[in-house]
């Protein structure tokens, strides 16, 4: 009985598609690279995919099907997840009793067939299709909202003179609201907004931007920190779309001259996602930004946030302390809130009283008392914190230390038995100490209360499916201070010299990552633990350079650049991305 590899070799030799000499070389190359023989045949362009499929169809007695005009059944598609289809290059076609028919380009992949049989409980029948056709079918069937959105846009986009559009934009505050509200409740507009939200969530967007321009309404999604143009809606539908968003966000529909905030919830695939909505008046109408807040990201705990081993150990050590203050610093959008919420979720136990003061409350967490700061009525961080201290809390999270009064109360609360978590806007961990001193907090109070200061950034993660390895010039490595180390697994080159042990990767682009080359983001951390010597430096008002030099040389603190380079060496991100988000020390 021939195994699958031998079967493919036998088919190729019998069909005279490849000479025995070429085949022997290919088998040697396969052993060296560790790739499937079928993949090598296509990569080396020894045979085209169509020729290979024809040969397999003839010798394995499997029919060949073109998928471009095939009518898929949504119920059958729902039997298998999109991730499974992409992983194994398959798509389900039909089900008859306990038999599921699928299209695949590699019928010799028995792992895919075994996994699919276990997943569905069905016997599997195969038809052959090209990889390109299968990927196109997966795109069209699992991302129907994109096609539906285009269809809705075509339905509602009728011709309107540019002059009329411009006039409408410039006089938007004088428009008849009744018409906008009526139109916002029509099926096409409701469907348009719903599909926009679904598409954004499926593409992993953290924000949706709706930006009025002179002749259109531009829609952009922020994915992995970068903004991408997605749609341009006709100007005539702008007011209806924005009115729809105001209605579901519980905003004042009649107010268009002042900024407004609102929020709403959606449920998608058994996940509840909160949307925080901000409206800002601009020249051509109100600009909306919708921030998607997925609660499921918070319950994973610190271990799964992607922290490096040493920063993670220090973080765990810091949050185990009964009292003191922990500061997470970084610019807006660096993941500070997500880190703090993950800590709170981990510390959230019935025997602890946890209170947060935020502006605004981003995530609603069961079991935690959350206070919304309201500056218009005098409920700011300082007054809120003062009131919270009378509520006998164990742990307090202050959204941000913005002024000397909040800093002073937070520091003193940490000294009286509470664990305080908060954020600051500084460039690195050590700068948080000088920032507190600049705010007027006495150095001896900082030295007594501060447990840890941490600087954080987010960098984009390489897509694991399409990343490409490449050589980095030695001079670049030398300039960055990256030293090669010989590991036990290092191989010897042709002349006996030892080869490099570091693999560097750059972004590619595939369907899985929407051709961006990146999928998700990962945190880069710089953690400064406060020990007795640093406390003495703080009391003596030692310089920032002294504190950093001691932390790096004596305590082995890894800077943001060090941690970013570590992520590069692990193949998680690119060198360009690491240099972009960190500064040279």
């Amino acid at each position: 009985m021939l195994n699958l590899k031998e079967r493919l070799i036998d088919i190729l030799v019998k069909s005279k598609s490849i000479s025995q000499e070429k085949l022997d070389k290919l088998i040697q190359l396969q052993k060296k690279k560790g790739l499937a023989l079928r993949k090598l045949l296509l990569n080396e362009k020894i045979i085209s995919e169509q020729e290979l499929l024809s040969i397999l169809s003839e010798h394995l007695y499997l029919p060949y099907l073109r998928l471009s005009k095939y009518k898929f059944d949504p119920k059958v598609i729902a039997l298998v997840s999109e991730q499974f289809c992409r992983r194994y290059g398959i798509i389900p076609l039909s089900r008859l009793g306990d038999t599921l028919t699928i299209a695949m380009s590699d019928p010799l992949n028995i792992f895919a067939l075994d996994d699919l049989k276990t997943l569905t409980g069905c016997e599997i029948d195969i038809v052959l299709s090209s990889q390109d056709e299968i990927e196109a079918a997966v795109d069209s069937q699992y991302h129907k909202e994109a096609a539906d959105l285009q269809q809705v846009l075509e339905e509602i986009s009728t011709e309107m003179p540019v002059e009329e559009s411009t006039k409408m934009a410039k006089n938007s505050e004088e428009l008849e609201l009744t018409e906008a509200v009526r139109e916002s409740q029509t099926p096409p507009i409701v469907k348009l907004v719903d599909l926009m939200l679904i598409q954004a969530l499926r593409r992993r967007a953290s924000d949706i931007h709706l930006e009025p321009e002179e002749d259109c309404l531009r829609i952009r999604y922020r994915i992995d920190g970068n903004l991408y143009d997605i749609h341009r809606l006709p100007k005539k539908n702008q007011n209806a779309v924005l009115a729809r968003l105001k209605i579901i966000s519980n905003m004042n529909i009649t107010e268009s001259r002042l900024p407004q905030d609102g929020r709403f919830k959606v449920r998608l695939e058994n996940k509840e996602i909160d949307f925080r909505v901000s409206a800002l008046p601009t020249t051509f109408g109100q600009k909306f930004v919708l921030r998607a807040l997925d609660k499921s990201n918070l319950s994973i705990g610190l271990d799964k946030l992607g922290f490096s081993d040493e920063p993670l150990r220090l973080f765990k050590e810091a949050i185990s302390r009964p009292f003191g203050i922990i500061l997470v610093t970084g610019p807006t959008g660096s993941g500070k809130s997500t880190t703090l919420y993950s800590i709170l979720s981990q510390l959230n136990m019935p025997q602890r009283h946890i209170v947060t003061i935020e502006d605004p409350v981003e995530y609603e967490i069961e079991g935690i008392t959350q206070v919304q700061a309201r500056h218009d009525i005098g409920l700011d961080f300082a007054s809120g914190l003062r009131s919270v201290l009378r509520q006998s809390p164990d742990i307090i999270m202050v959204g941000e230390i913005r002024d000397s009064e909040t800093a002073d109360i937070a520091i003193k609360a940490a000294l009286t038995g509470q664990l305080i978590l908060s954020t600051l806007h500084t460039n690195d961990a050590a700068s948080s100490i000088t920032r507190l001193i600049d705010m007027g907090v006495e150095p001896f109070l900082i030295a007594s209360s501060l447990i840890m200061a941490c600087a954080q950034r987010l960098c984009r993660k390489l897509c694991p499916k399409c990343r490409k390895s490449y050589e980095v010039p030695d001079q670049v490595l030398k300039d960055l201070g990256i030293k090669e180390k010989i590991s036990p697994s290092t191989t010897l080159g042709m002349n006996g010299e030892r080869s490099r042990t570091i693999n560097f990767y750059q972004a590619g682009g595939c369907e899985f990552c929407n051709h961006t080359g990146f999928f998700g983001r990962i945190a880069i951390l710089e953690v400064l633990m406060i020990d007795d010597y640093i406390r003495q430096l703080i009391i003596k008002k030692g310089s920032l350079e002294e504190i950093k030099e001691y932390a790096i040389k004596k305590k082995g603190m890894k800077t943001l650049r060090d941690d970013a380079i570590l992520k590069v060496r692990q193949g998680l991100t690119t060198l360009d991305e690491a240099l972009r988000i960190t500064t040279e020390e």
Side-chain angles (χ1 to χ4, degrees), residues 275-320:
F275 276 94
R276 197 179 78 213
V277 185
S278 171
L280 181 72
T282 68
T283 311
F284 298 113
Q286 292 177 88
K287 178 181 186 289
F288 275 62
V289 175
L290 286 66
R291 166 68 60 89
L293 305 166
D294 186 355
K295 288 184 190 175
S296 64
N297 293 338
L298 305 179
S299 56
I300 58 176
L302 287 171
D303 290 301
K304 295 183 182 175
L305 284 178
F307 294 165
S308 300
D309 292 340
E310 184 60 13
L312 178 62
R313 183 187 68 77
L314 295 172
F315 238 117
K316 286 182 174 179
E317 183 185 324
I319 65 174
S320 66

Side-chain angles (χ1 to χ4, degrees), residues 82-83 86 139 142-150 153 195-208 219-231 268-269 271 273 275 292 511-516 518-521:
E82 180 191 353
Q83 287 77 10
R86 291 198 187 280
D139 286 341
Y142 289 94
H143 291 278
K144 290 196 71 123
E145 70 281 351
D148 292 344
L149 190 56
Q150 192 58 43
L153 287 173
L195 288 170
M196 179 182 69
L197 297 175
I198 293 168
Q199 186 187 46
L201 293 173
R202 289 204 195 282
R203 291 198 184 187
R204 303 176 294 104
S206 59
D207 300 88
I208 305 171
I219 297 176
R220 297 197 287 174
Y221 297 162
R222 188 179 292 280
I223 303 169
D224 296 334
N226 285 11
L227 279 169
Y228 297 92
D229 264 340
I230 304 296
H231 303 292
L268 180 68
E269 296 171 354
K271 282 189 355 185
I273 293 115
F275 276 94
E511 294 292 338
F512 183 70
C513 61
N514 286 322
H515 299 284
T516 62
F518 296 94
F519 192 93
R521 287 188 290 177

Side-chain angles (χ1 to χ4, degrees), residues 139-420:
D139 286 341
S140 67
Q141 295 308 307
Y142 289 94
H143 291 278
K144 290 196 71 123
E145 70 281 351
D148 292 344
L149 190 56
Q150 192 58 43
Q151 187 179 341
V152 172
L153 287 173
E154 288 169 8
E155 285 175 19
I156 64 174
S157 61
T158 55
E159 289 293 325
M160 171 177 270
V162 175
E163 295 80 7
E164 191 177 338
S165 299
T166 308
K167 184 181 175 184
M168 175 184 282
K170 289 182 177 175
N171 298 299
S172 57
E173 68 273 10
E174 300 168 11
L175 288 173
E176 177 58 52
L177 284 172
T178 311
E179 179 61 25
V181 173
R182 186 197 63 74
E183 193 188 341
S184 74
Q185 294 169 341
T186 60
I189 295 296
V190 173
K191 191 176 181 183
L192 177 70
V193 172
D194 290 349
L195 288 170
M196 179 182 69
L197 297 175
I198 293 168
Q199 186 187 46
L201 293 173
R202 289 204 195 282
R203 291 198 184 187
R204 303 176 294 104
S206 59
D207 300 88
I208 305 171
H209 290 241
L210 292 94
E211 302 164 346
E213 295 187 350
E214 188 173 4
D215 56 353
C216 67
L217 177 66
R218 181 165 71 153
I219 297 176
R220 297 197 287 174
Y221 297 162
R222 188 179 292 280
I223 303 169
D224 296 334
N226 285 11
L227 279 169
Y228 297 92
D229 264 340
I230 304 296
H231 303 292
R232 289 178 184 268
L233 303 186
K235 191 69 177 179
K236 73 183 291 289
N237 301 116
Q238 174 179 308
N239 291 296
V241 170
L242 300 184
R244 174 67 185 161
L245 288 171
K246 279 190 173 185
I247 289 166
I248 63 177
S249 306
N250 290 316
M251 289 180 174
N252 184 353
I253 194 79
T254 63
E255 181 56 74
S256 61
R257 293 172 297 176
L258 292 173
Q260 287 190 73
D261 293 306
R263 63 192 309 148
F264 63 91
K265 293 181 182 181
V266 298
R267 183 172 284 278
L268 180 68
E269 296 171 354
N270 298 320
K271 282 189 355 185
E272 194 176 78
I273 293 115
D274 285 354
F275 276 94
R276 197 179 78 213
V277 185
S278 171
L280 181 72
T282 68
T283 311
F284 298 113
Q286 292 177 88
K287 178 181 186 289
F288 275 62
V289 175
L290 286 66
R291 166 68 60 89
L293 305 166
D294 186 355
K295 288 184 190 175
S296 64
N297 293 338
L298 305 179
S299 56
I300 58 176
L302 287 171
D303 290 301
K304 295 183 182 175
L305 284 178
F307 294 165
S308 300
D309 292 340
E310 184 60 13
L312 178 62
R313 183 187 68 77
L314 295 172
F315 238 117
K316 286 182 174 179
E317 183 185 324
I319 65 174
S320 66
R321 304 278 183 91
F323 59 86
I325 187 164
I326 295 171
L327 294 175
V328 181
T329 75
T332 303
S334 59
K336 302 187 298 293
S337 295
T338 302
T339 298
L340 290 181
Y341 274 116
S342 296
I343 293 170
L344 290 181
S345 296
Q346 193 161 319
L347 296 174
N348 190 10
M349 296 177 186
Q351 61 267 35
R352 289 185 177 133
H353 180 203
I354 302 176
V355 185
T356 73
I357 309 164
E358 305 167 65
D359 182 24
V361 173
E362 292 193 2
Y363 297 92
E364 294 167 359
I365 304 175
E366 190 177 345
I368 292 178
T369 304
Q370 293 174 274
V371 179
Q372 167 75 55
R374 292 187 60 187
H375 300 278
D376 53 334
I377 58 170
L379 179 56
D380 54 19
F381 285 128
S383 60
L385 184 54
R386 202 179 287 111
S387 300
V388 164
L389 289 171
R390 301 189 197 108
Q391 297 274 317
S392 181
D394 298 304
I395 299 168
I396 303 171
M397 183 184 101
V398 183
E400 185 186 342
I401 294 177
R402 295 176 180 170
D403 52 57
S404 56
E405 191 180 2
T406 308
D408 188 55
I409 299 167
I411 294 284
K412 286 174 181 173
L415 290 171
T416 55
Q418 279 84 28
L419 182 64
I420 309 290

Side-chain angles (χ1 to χ4, degrees), residues 20-217:
Q20 189 63 49
E21 186 184 351
K22 270 191 179 179
L23 194 59
D24 291 340
K25 284 183 181 176
L26 206 63
I27 291 168
Q28 290 300 318
L29 191 61
Q30 184 206 9
K31 287 176 183 175
K32 188 179 175 183
K33 290 192 174 182
L35 289 174
L37 183 60
R38 180 186 176 282
K39 226 170 201 178
L40 272 178
L41 285 165
L42 298 177
N43 289 352
E44 298 293 320
K45 296 183 179 175
I46 290 168
I47 190 170
S48 72
E49 188 176 25
Q50 289 299 331
E51 287 173 325
L52 184 59
L53 289 173
S54 296
I55 293 166
L56 290 172
S57 176
E58 183 183 341
H59 288 80
L60 298 178
Y61 306 105
L62 294 173
Y64 178 79
L65 179 68
R66 296 196 74 88
L67 297 177
S68 53
K69 294 184 181 178
Y70 187 83
K71 226 175 180 182
F72 292 91
D73 183 349
K75 290 179 182 175
V76 177
I77 291 292
L79 294 173
V80 186
S81 71
E82 180 191 353
Q83 287 77 10
F84 189 97
C85 290
R86 291 198 187 280
R87 183 180 175 190
Y88 288 121
I90 65 136
I91 190 162
L93 299 175
S94 63
R95 181 177 178 176
L96 189 61
D98 289 334
T99 301
L100 179 67
T101 302
I102 65 162
M104 68 188 306
S105 60
D106 184 6
L108 304 181
N109 188 344
I110 56 167
F111 301 109
L113 300 176
D114 287 346
D115 287 354
L116 192 57
K117 189 174 180 180
T118 305
L119 177 73
T120 60
C122 295
E123 293 298 319
I124 308 300
D125 270 358
I126 304 170
V127 301
L128 294 174
S129 290
S130 73
Q131 187 63 35
D132 288 345
E133 285 192 334
I134 290 169
E135 285 178 3
V138 171
D139 286 341
S140 67
Q141 295 308 307
Y142 289 94
H143 291 278
K144 290 196 71 123
E145 70 281 351
D148 292 344
L149 190 56
Q150 192 58 43
Q151 187 179 341
V152 172
L153 287 173
E154 288 169 8
E155 285 175 19
I156 64 174
S157 61
T158 55
E159 289 293 325
M160 171 177 270
V162 175
E163 295 80 7
E164 191 177 338
S165 299
T166 308
K167 184 181 175 184
M168 175 184 282
K170 289 182 177 175
N171 298 299
S172 57
E173 68 273 10
E174 300 168 11
L175 288 173
E176 177 58 52
L177 284 172
T178 311
E179 179 61 25
V181 173
R182 186 197 63 74
E183 193 188 341
S184 74
Q185 294 169 341
T186 60
I189 295 296
V190 173
K191 191 176 181 183
L192 177 70
V193 172
D194 290 349
L195 288 170
M196 179 182 69
L197 297 175
I198 293 168
Q199 186 187 46
L201 293 173
R202 289 204 195 282
R203 291 198 184 187
R204 303 176 294 104
S206 59
D207 300 88
I208 305 171
H209 290 241
L210 292 94
E211 302 164 346
E213 295 187 350
E214 188 173 4
D215 56 353
C216 67
L217 177 66

